[in-house]
Amino acid sequence: MSGRTAERRTGGPAERTSGGTARLFVNAAQVVTCAGPPRARRGSEMNDAGVRTDVGVAVVGDRIAEVDSVAALRERFPGASEFDCRGGVLTPGLVDSHTHGIFGRPRYEEQEMRAAGLDYMEIARRGGGIHSSVRDLRAQSEDTLIVLARARLRRLASFGTTTIELKSGYGLTLEDELKTLRVIARLAAELPMRIVPTFLGAHEIPLEHRVSDAARRGYIETLIHEMIPAVASQRLATFADVFCEQGVYSPEESRAILDAARDAGMLLKLHADELAPSGGAELAASLGATSADHLAAVSDEGIDALASAPTVATLLPGTMLFLGKSRHAPARRFIDAGVPVALASDFNPGTSPTPNLPLVLMLGVSQLRLSVAEAMTAATVNGAAALALADRVGQIAPGYSADLALFEIADVRELPYWYGDNRCVASFVCGKPCHTSNLDIT
Ligand code: NIG
Ligand code: FE
């Protein structure tokens, strides 16, 4: 798989359809299709990642056209160009459905503070944590934030991620939240990755609004009556999210904010039960949120509530690892209860500064006790469902967007095995190159 990949034509004019030129992905040791219904997978469905050998993938224009034997594809698409997968494993482009990728400086100093015994919430109470990133982001220009985020998002893509959800939430004023969301919109227009914007103006109560109960209520009023309408009218966010946690937003406050967001046309997410159980999962379920995220401290009632909701449980084991916690979200209990599980990086400067989604898959297997197939489903189909994209992203199946990742491994079980190593050699979004390592890909 090393060296440069040559494109070759099978002869004759390249077949053109209204969608564009055909290209065949050939010589993959395995194609992990994750093919199936266009919705989140639950229970035993998660354990089938649709691993196929001896097949290629035909892409026409920006879509997957067919998965079949290479001989059959060559017959069906005479003259198609070919991309040589060189014995690697081809998967749907990975979906990172929870990140806070727009920030200024990294917060490496907090790591030693935690090692010395201060916990995450104590650091926040002292004005660090999210507050520190807020002070910093407010001082940065839109252009500087673009430069910083561009490089970071390319790192996420270099590990095989092709879809990235990006939250605002380090601005916490109307102006700074809009600035962040404009940065996301500009990056979405410029970068090859598929980017999904989320408004997280309720990431913290800003320090200047923590001085009194009235000031705190004032910020929530601003969120509901100024920020959400502005974000919605400028169409800057698909989702709205709230950090529902003891000491941050209560379930009642979270509900009021998310009700307003839904009324303004946004889909809903919730940071729920990350550090302590506070009824977040139950709230996400009762709101019909698209996802409830974190859930390391979810209650039994929360699991039951999610089991009868459409909500995806997005688990973020990198965060618990980085915070030095031994507890993890009860992934097996979610799966046994029929709750669809997604895995994401939570990429952010405070609790999970890793761009490496395959590393999170490793944690999914080693800490959350998922099978490799379940972990793959969690980072493809179910990640797409957590972004309301399950009908077009996350599968290598006819009609799906040609979002693909190629890994320099011979068996998909190697992906969560060589942990920390980057085996991604190429990725594509809508059939166009997204990340390329040393391959000559056009
Ligand atoms: O998902 N919990 C809230 N938000 C982030 C952390 C953000 C930060 O510490 O900067 C999270 O862990
Ligand atoms: Fe988060």
Side-chain angles (χ1 to χ4, degrees):
M1 294 258 308
S2 59
R4 297 168 90 76
T5 290
E7 289 279 324
R8 77 179 176 89
R9 299 216 173 256
T10 53
E15 178 176 281
R16 286 189 179 273
T17 69
S18 55
T21 313
R23 165 142 69 172
L24 309 184
F25 288 77
V26 302
N27 293 335
Q30 295 177 335
V31 176
V32 183
T33 64
C34 297
R39 55 163 175 76
R41 304 291 155 73
R42 297 170 182 265
S44 59
E45 290 176 337
M46 284 190 67
N47 206 23
D48 180 5
V51 179
R52 303 200 42 194
T53 51
D54 299 322
V55 293
V57 177
V59 168
V60 177
D62 59 358
R63 303 284 179 98
I64 311 282
E66 215 168 304
V67 180
D68 204 342
S69 73
V70 171
L73 294 178
R74 284 180 177 146
E75 205 175 304
R76 168 94 200 274
F77 299 96
S81 66
E82 293 195 358
F83 180 85
D84 186 351
C85 295
R86 297 187 179 226
V89 172
L90 192 66
T91 74
L94 302 181
V95 178
D96 196 345
S97 60
H98 183 136
T99 88
H100 307 251
I102 312 298
F103 56 90
R105 65 168 202 87
R107 303 207 312 263
Y108 40 78
E109 68 282 1
E110 291 177 9
Q111 215 181 350
E112 284 182 324
M113 292 164 79
R114 276 191 299 277
L118 283 182
D119 86 349
Y120 180 71
M121 282 305 194
E122 182 55 31
I123 294 170
R125 275 191 289 276
R126 295 178 183 202
I130 294 171
H131 301 299
S132 161
S133 290
V134 168
R135 277 190 297 277
D136 178 46
L137 182 135
R138 287 176 179 176
Q140 307 281 357
S141 71
E142 207 170 301
D143 286 344
T144 303
L145 290 171
I146 292 256
V147 171
L148 290 169
R150 183 190 286 134
R152 292 168 181 156
L153 297 181
R154 286 197 173 126
R155 284 185 190 279
L156 267 72
S158 76
F159 287 93
T161 297
T162 54
T163 296
I164 306 173
E165 185 254 15
L166 282 170
K167 300 178 197 294
S168 68
Y170 294 120
L172 309 190
T173 64
L174 174 62
E175 188 191 321
D176 292 299
E177 286 295 304
L178 291 177
K179 175 175 77 178
T180 309
L181 291 168
R182 281 195 303 271
V183 165
I184 297 173
R186 283 174 60 187
L187 289 166
E190 174 202 323
L191 292 172
M193 291 78 91
R194 185 184 300 280
I195 287 174
V196 179
T198 294
F199 172 60
L200 181 56
H203 197 189
E204 245 299 358
I205 306 284
L207 282 178
E208 63 274 19
H209 287 271
R210 279 188 174 271
V211 291
S212 66
D213 283 351
R216 178 191 178 93
R217 280 196 301 278
Y219 184 65
I220 295 171
E221 291 294 303
T222 304
L223 276 167
I224 291 174
H225 298 295
E226 291 178 34
M227 294 165 82
I228 287 170
V231 170
S233 72
Q234 295 179 45
R235 296 181 176 278
L236 284 170
T238 306
F239 288 93
D241 193 349
V242 175
F243 187 12
C244 178
E245 190 76 31
Q246 282 172 21
V248 195
Y249 290 88
S250 69
E252 296 69 32
E253 292 167 339
S254 303
R255 179 186 285 281
I257 296 162
L258 290 179
D259 275 343
R262 185 174 44 204
D263 290 349
M266 289 185 237
L267 299 173
L268 309 183
K269 291 182 165 290
L270 191 68
H271 278 67
D273 306 322
E274 174 176 352
L275 303 165
S278 67
E282 294 89 321
L283 174 62
S286 80
L287 287 167
T290 308
S291 73
D293 300 39
H294 284 288
L295 301 167
V298 69
S299 65
D300 292 348
E301 295 74 25
I303 296 176
D304 290 346
L306 288 174
S308 44
T311 309
V312 175
T314 300
L315 310 185
L316 310 162
T319 304
M320 291 295 121
L321 178 82
F322 191 75
L323 288 179
K325 309 263 183 205
S326 49
R327 190 184 53 215
H328 278 284
R332 286 253 61 90
R333 292 187 57 206
F334 280 127
I335 292 176
D336 292 347
V339 179
V341 166
L343 285 171
S345 71
D346 197 18
F347 177 66
N348 77 73
T351 66
S352 189
T354 182
N356 185 340
L357 196 51
L359 179 72
V360 175
L361 294 187
M362 182 281 286
L363 295 172
V365 177
S366 72
Q367 306 302 303
L368 305 186
R369 308 283 169 195
L370 302 183
S371 68
V372 173
E374 288 168 337
M376 284 305 298
T377 302
T380 55
V381 181
N382 284 6
L387 296 176
L389 292 174
D391 59 345
R392 66 204 90 151
V393 169
Q395 304 189 29
I396 302 182
Y400 274 74
S401 181
D403 295 10
L404 302 166
L406 177 65
F407 295 94
E408 194 172 15
I409 50 178
D411 188 297
V412 66
R413 287 171 292 185
E414 291 181 76
L415 192 56
Y417 173 78
W418 301 109
Y419 80 97
D421 193 7
N422 188 356
R423 295 302 183 107
C424 181
V425 287
S427 71
F428 298 82
V429 172
C430 293
K432 297 204 174 68
C434 176
H435 161 71
T436 58
S437 58
N438 62 343
L439 301 183
D440 183 18
I441 297 166
T442 52

